[in-house]
Amino acid sequence: MALATHSELSKQPAKRGPKTGPQTKRKLLNVAEKLFAEEGIETVSLRRIMDVAGVGLSQLNYHFGTKKDLLRATCERKLTVMNEKRLAMLEEAELQPKDEKFLERLIKAYMLPVLEMYAKGGNDRNFVIITARLSAGTSQMTAELASELLNKFQQRFASAFLRAVPGLPEVSVFWRIHVMLSLLSHTVANPERIKTLSHGLCDPKDVDAMMEELLPVLIAGFGANATKPKPSRKPAVSKARKPVAE
């Protein structure tokens, strides 16, 4: 059965539900968080969220208006708290000597708060999965929100990584940041894949064990020499040897 469009929903009588207020808003956010994580951001419709929450269209419109507004609010209520912890760890790392442990401290500052929140389970895990899917930006809506909510914060970390590996060109550092972000997003968005592949040996819920394995790989990746320029493809000019006079 095809899902009703927004215009069709507006013609339907609003469902009876709780009065429009903080409780209704909180319920919408909780339901949206669960469904966005379990069923996918693009897959879940406003109609589906309204049905599960038992909320009418007028109540949804009063608090959020659009799916993008609802997704933004779902992310913002926990993203600030998580990023404050990451920034606190980043600032602490920057106050310490810029020794061989500086890069390790930066990687931990970015990854650990995310993985620890994921390991808690419940609504916290749902939130982490949503931010991972948002970061992937598979639609215009998620791509726009990713830029709006993540760019400034991630640029702050990028500046620190550039200082941690000063011998690398800027383009090389950003590609290596991309590897770290991709690893983190894929781990929390699809944790069962590595569990299945490893026959249960690898479990993303075991944060300490995972970081013990991944840290050396990421540190080595950031610290590796930049790729050398490829040699010219122009064919070498062969120099024919002159015959030796007898």
Side-chain angles (χ1 to χ4, degrees):
M1 181 182 294
L3 295 174
T5 64
H6 185 76
S7 60
E8 290 171 339
L9 286 172
S10 62
K11 297 176 183 177
Q12 297 176 3
K15 294 183 177 182
R16 291 183 179 180
K19 293 181 179 180
T20 298
Q23 184 179 356
T24 303
K25 183 176 182 180
R26 197 160 44 247
K27 188 170 188 179
L28 279 166
L29 287 170
N30 289 338
V31 169
E33 185 176 70
K34 185 175 187 294
L35 295 180
F36 283 147
E38 292 180 354
E39 300 179 17
I41 293 172
E42 285 80 11
T43 304
V44 176
S45 65
L46 288 176
R47 175 63 178 271
R48 169 87 168 123
I49 294 169
M50 288 163 51
D51 285 344
V52 175
V55 170
L57 181 63
S58 61
Q59 295 164 309
L60 178 70
N61 285 339
Y62 177 82
H63 290 292
F64 304 107
T66 67
K67 184 176 180 179
K68 186 176 182 179
D69 293 332
L70 178 57
L71 178 59
R72 180 190 291 109
T74 302
C75 294
E76 284 180 334
R77 67 175 181 166
K78 292 180 181 176
L79 188 62
T80 300
V81 174
M82 185 175 71
N83 284 350
E84 283 177 352
K85 184 173 182 180
R86 294 159 102 181
L87 287 173
M89 292 177 68
L90 171 60
E91 290 169 1
E92 183 179 350
E94 290 179 321
L95 289 175
Q96 298 181 46
K98 305 301 183 291
D99 54 17
E100 68 279 359
K101 290 288 187 179
F102 183 44
L103 183 58
E104 177 180 335
R105 289 192 287 266
L106 293 184
I107 295 171
K108 285 182 176 180
Y110 194 90
M111 295 183 66
L112 271 178
V114 181
L115 296 173
E116 288 171 351
M117 183 174 280
Y118 172 83
K120 287 181 181 179
N123 290 337
D124 285 338
R125 180 174 298 164
N126 287 337
F127 161 74
V128 172
I129 292 171
I130 292 170
T131 55
R133 289 177 174 165
L134 184 72
S135 183
T138 55
S139 69
Q140 181 178 349
M141 178 184 67
T142 53
E144 290 174 354
L145 276 181
S147 294
E148 176 187 331
L149 299 177
L150 304 177
N151 274 13
K152 185 177 180 180
F153 169 80
Q154 290 179 338
Q155 287 288 349
R156 174 73 175 82
F157 264 88
S159 297
F161 278 108
L162 285 166
R163 293 194 298 275
V165 281
L168 287 181
E170 187 173 350
V171 63
S172 300
V173 177
F174 273 102
W175 273 119
R176 291 159 206 225
I177 291 173
H178 176 70
V179 171
M180 181 185 70
L181 298 181
S182 300
L183 185 155
L184 183 58
S185 295
H186 183 73
T187 299
V188 300
N190 189 15
E192 293 303 316
R193 184 72 205 106
I194 186 61
K195 287 180 67 176
T196 302
L197 183 64
S198 66
H199 302 289
L201 289 174
C202 303
D203 185 359
K205 294 177 187 176
D206 189 343
V207 176
D208 292 337
M210 179 167 55
M211 288 300 295
E212 184 178 352
E213 295 292 338
L214 295 182
L215 261 177
V217 176
L218 290 170
I219 292 170
F222 270 104
N225 292 331
T227 304
K228 296 180 180 179
K230 295 181 179 179
S232 172
R233 293 187 178 182
K234 293 180 180 179
V237 179
S238 60
K239 297 181 179 179
R241 296 179 61 186
K242 294 182 180 180
V244 178
E246 297 182 358

